[in-house]
């Protein structure tokens, strides 16, 4: 792990739906990428646009992972939307894969759907709220990974339950949340993409895998 990084055990971040979030400025648009994230809903029901991940500070661009208004996880973008699976108060793994022309969603390693569009606009990475910042989500999040390559289903399945070394090819952001305290979400990819934590609570509720270890 990174020099000076404190790994204090298995932790996640809980966003209470009351405005908690994390923020990281991002300078590179991407048409080929993989978003990998563990998430659980803290409540049985959430409102439309209640989000836990977004890539842009304006709702006219970028993407977010949110609730579709019918209590389903959704990948919602300027280009289109893909419904993923019902919200769950159990831990679930979501992967979004863009390969320049197609966006494919995997839920717990299983193929959900593909669409013939790619959302390329990125100017931030935020957890805990939507692009319009008016719909914070009530979720717990762990082990977020961003790649600038399109991973295969096999790669997603083999990586989702294990910790990474941090130097994998194409890995540009890797946050395992194991600081357990403080206001910095440390990037373990070596790229210095540390996030600022605003009011989110550290939690010991983590997925039952080795991924956050």
């Amino acid at each position: 792990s990174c020099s000076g990084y404190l790994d204090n055990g298995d932790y996640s971040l809980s966003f209470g739906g009351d405005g908690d979030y994390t923020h990281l400025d991002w300078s590179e648009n991407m048409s080929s990428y993989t978003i990998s994230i563990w998430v659980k809903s803290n409540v049985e029901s959430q409102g439309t646009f209640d989000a836990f991940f977004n890539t842009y500070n304006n709702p006219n661009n970028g993407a977010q992972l949110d609730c579709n208004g019918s209590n389903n996880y959704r990948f919602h973008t300027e280009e289109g939307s893909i419904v993923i699976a019902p919200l769950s108060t159990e831990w679930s793994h979501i992967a979004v894969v863009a390969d320049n022309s197609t966006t494919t969603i995997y839920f717990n390693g299983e193929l959900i759907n593909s669409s013939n569009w790619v959302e390329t606009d990125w100017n931030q990475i935020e957890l805990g709220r939507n692009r319009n910042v008016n719909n914070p989500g009530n979720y717990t999040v762990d082990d977020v990974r961003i790649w600038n390559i399109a991973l295969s289903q096999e790669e997603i399945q083999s990586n989702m339950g294990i910790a990474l070394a941090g130097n994998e090819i194409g890995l540009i952001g890797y946050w395992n949340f194991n600081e357990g305290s403080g206001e910095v979400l440390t990037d373990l990819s070596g790229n210095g993409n540390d996030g600022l934590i605003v009011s989110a609570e550290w939690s010991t509720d983590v997925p039952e895998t080795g991924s956050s270890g």
Side-chain angles (χ1 to χ4, degrees), residues 21 23 60 84 87 116 126 132 161 175 186 193:
Y21 67 97
H23 177 85
N60 295 318
I84 301 172
L87 286 183
N116 292 322
E126 286 196 340
N132 210 30
W175 305 271
T186 306
N193 290 316

Side-chain angles (χ1 to χ4, degrees), residues 188-209:
L188 302 180
S189 74
N191 292 304
N193 290 316
D194 294 350
L196 174 67
I197 300 169
V198 181
S199 299
E201 294 186 0
W202 293 101
S203 170
T204 54
D205 184 353
V206 298
E208 292 183 7
T209 71

Side-chain angles (χ1 to χ4, degrees), residues 20-211:
D20 309 344
Y21 67 97
T22 70
H23 177 85
L24 163 66
D25 288 331
W26 197 261
S27 59
E28 178 188 6
N29 285 341
M30 295 187 291
S31 59
S32 179
Y33 54 84
T34 301
I35 303 163
S36 170
I37 185 168
W38 282 94
V39 63
K40 64 180 295 186
S41 179
N42 294 332
V43 289
E44 297 284 347
S45 178
Q46 306 223 28
T48 309
F49 305 122
D50 288 358
F52 54 94
F53 175 92
N54 80 73
T55 69
Y56 215 85
N57 64 358
N58 183 311
N60 295 318
N61 298 91
Q64 64 194 40
L65 286 162
D66 67 5
C67 177
N68 73 341
S70 299
N71 290 319
N72 290 295
Y73 290 120
R74 173 179 66 168
F75 186 58
H76 182 54
T77 83
E78 169 203 9
E79 299 292 330
S81 296
I82 301 174
V83 175
I84 301 172
L87 286 183
S88 176
T89 55
E90 302 296 321
W91 282 104
S92 303
H93 183 266
I94 293 173
V96 179
V97 180
D99 66 357
N100 296 305
S101 61
T102 304
T103 298
T104 303
I105 307 288
Y106 300 93
F107 186 72
N108 293 328
E110 298 302 314
L111 173 65
I112 296 298
N113 207 345
S114 291
S115 292
N116 292 322
W117 47 260
V118 169
E119 177 53 63
T120 61
D121 293 327
W122 295 64
N123 72 0
Q124 65 182 18
I125 295 175
E126 286 196 340
L127 302 174
R129 65 183 185 180
N130 62 328
R131 292 166 293 168
N132 210 30
V133 308
N134 61 343
N135 287 91
N138 194 349
Y139 302 91
T140 303
V141 174
D142 197 11
D143 203 64
V144 177
R145 306 163 182 194
I146 306 292
W147 310 69
N148 63 7
I149 55 176
L151 296 184
S152 68
Q153 182 176 17
E154 184 179 13
E155 288 171 322
I156 289 165
Q157 290 173 340
S158 61
N159 286 334
M160 58 185 271
I162 62 172
L164 299 178
N167 59 359
E168 285 81 358
I169 294 173
L171 184 67
I172 54 176
Y174 175 30
W175 305 271
N176 73 359
F177 295 69
N178 286 352
E179 298 91 336
S181 63
E183 298 177 349
V184 176
L185 193 58
T186 306
D187 174 22
L188 302 180
S189 74
N191 292 304
N193 290 316
D194 294 350
L196 174 67
I197 300 169
V198 181
S199 299
E201 294 186 0
W202 293 101
S203 170
T204 54
D205 184 353
V206 298
E208 292 183 7
T209 71
S211 65

